[in-house]
Amino acid sequence: MARDWGLRLDFSYRQLIPVQPKMSSPAPSSRSWSISEDSLRRYVRFASESCIQELLSASDSNRAENANDGWKVLTLDNGVEISKRRSGSLHTFRSRWLLRSVSPQQFITVANAVDAAKQWDSDLVEARYIKDLEDNLSIIRLRFGDNSKPLFRNREFIVYERRETMEDGTLVVAVASLPKEIAAGLHPKQNNAIRGLLLQSGWVVEKQEDDACMVTYVVQLDPGGWLPKCFVNRLNTKLVMIIENLRKLAQACPIDGHR
């Protein structure tokens, strides 16, 4: 049965104007935009709507079983499914698994704990909030160091994070990069860092019987800079590692934990 998610698009990208370019450098690649917090909030709410819809679509069990939806299963082991779907020149990866004895709130508490993110992603060097726009809307910087795996080595991402609870209790966390000019205006790029783009990412956590939850994680990224295609498309091995780390942390998390 199709869900009625009731999400409305009521913001146009054009409403970001006026935008004042900073004239610190004439090079187009280093342009930055300085916009008001209200314009930033409205843009992020608009941009995140389509991300939420894509996440909910990817998590829909009926659609997931449809062989014509483009998803190709790469691995299915111990109840964890890793799939991918071509999106232009890159692939979107999806992982789905059932967590037993873990409530949706326990899982989201762990997955959203920016200060603890390094516990479930060993490549991450720094994760911190740049700005809270609303209670459920934040701007975050993710930084990966010189010793990270090639796909993430010396990369940084400036992303929004939007957290929503749907009418049926499903929890959704949408994460994606800001446009590079807006990101540069909020947080100038470090000289030695490569700024990647997280094109689409996030969690969908659905409550199941017997205090269990079905988790769907979707990610599509452009790491920036040149990398052999095999590195970009081998994200499934990293997903398996992240899933296992998150499972252990979620099972140890108090039910009433908070970010």
Side-chain angles (χ1 to χ4, degrees):
M1 182 175 65
R3 296 178 186 167
D4 180 9
W5 296 313
L7 296 175
R8 261 187 329 117
L9 301 183
D10 56 2
F11 175 72
S12 167
Y13 184 81
R14 296 176 181 176
Q15 289 179 260
L16 278 175
I17 307 299
V19 171
Q20 301 298 328
K22 293 181 179 178
M23 305 304 294
S24 56
S25 171
S29 61
S30 61
R31 287 183 304 174
S32 64
W33 291 353
S34 178
I35 66 176
S36 70
E37 185 167 313
D38 182 61
S39 291
L40 177 62
R41 181 186 301 108
R42 288 185 289 121
Y43 168 73
V44 171
R45 291 200 68 84
F46 166 74
S48 60
E49 297 285 6
S50 60
C51 187
I52 288 175
Q53 293 282 12
E54 288 293 331
L55 291 171
L56 288 168
S57 176
S59 72
D60 192 309
S61 298
N62 294 326
R63 305 187 85 170
E65 294 167 359
N66 184 351
N68 298 320
D69 65 1
W71 290 106
K72 178 182 179 181
V73 176
L74 301 177
T75 63
L76 180 57
D77 188 30
N78 292 326
V80 178
E81 175 198 300
I82 307 291
S83 308
K84 74 174 181 179
R85 181 172 65 184
R86 179 173 291 278
S87 304
S89 61
L90 298 175
H91 287 90
T92 302
F93 289 82
R94 178 185 68 186
S95 59
R96 289 168 55 84
W97 72 105
L98 180 66
L99 280 179
R100 301 188 185 280
S101 301
V102 174
S103 71
Q105 192 56 52
Q106 278 178 283
F107 180 84
I108 285 296
T109 296
V110 170
N112 267 12
V114 166
D115 54 350
K118 288 184 286 186
Q119 295 182 50
W120 52 266
D121 189 345
S122 59
D123 287 326
L124 191 62
V125 172
E126 179 186 13
R128 67 180 180 88
Y129 287 97
I130 295 176
K131 186 185 291 288
D132 286 323
L133 300 174
E134 294 178 356
D135 289 344
N136 69 333
L137 203 61
S138 304
I139 307 298
I140 300 171
R141 178 184 181 235
L142 305 173
R143 184 169 69 87
F144 299 84
D146 294 335
N147 295 323
S148 300
K149 293 179 178 63
L151 181 59
F152 294 91
R153 185 172 298 153
N154 204 28
R155 262 74 176 173
E156 68 172 12
F157 300 83
I158 307 298
V159 302
Y160 67 74
E161 179 188 77
R162 179 174 170 183
R163 306 168 291 278
E164 293 287 352
T165 301
M166 313 312 292
E167 290 184 359
D168 63 357
T170 297
L171 303 178
V172 184
V173 180
V175 181
S177 289
L178 293 174
K180 60 183 181 180
E181 295 89 352
I182 296 178
L186 288 172
H187 194 286
K189 183 176 73 70
Q190 294 184 347
N191 292 333
N192 62 339
I194 300 170
R195 184 155 288 177
L197 290 176
L198 192 58
L199 303 175
Q200 176 183 291
S201 175
W203 308 95
V204 177
V205 187
E206 302 167 272
K207 183 174 176 56
Q208 306 290 306
E209 295 180 353
D210 301 323
D211 200 26
C213 62
M214 176 64 73
V215 178
T216 301
Y217 178 56
V218 176
V219 61
Q220 180 193 26
L221 63 85
D222 179 352
W226 183 86
L227 282 175
K229 190 174 182 180
C230 62
F231 282 131
V232 178
N233 291 333
R234 216 176 284 166
L235 190 59
N236 56 312
T237 56
K238 181 178 177 66
L239 284 178
V240 172
M241 177 271 294
I242 287 177
I243 289 167
E244 179 62 17
N245 291 344
L246 277 168
R247 182 187 63 80
K248 293 177 181 177
L249 290 170
Q251 288 177 336
C253 174
I255 294 179
D256 60 347
H258 298 283
R259 192 186 76 183

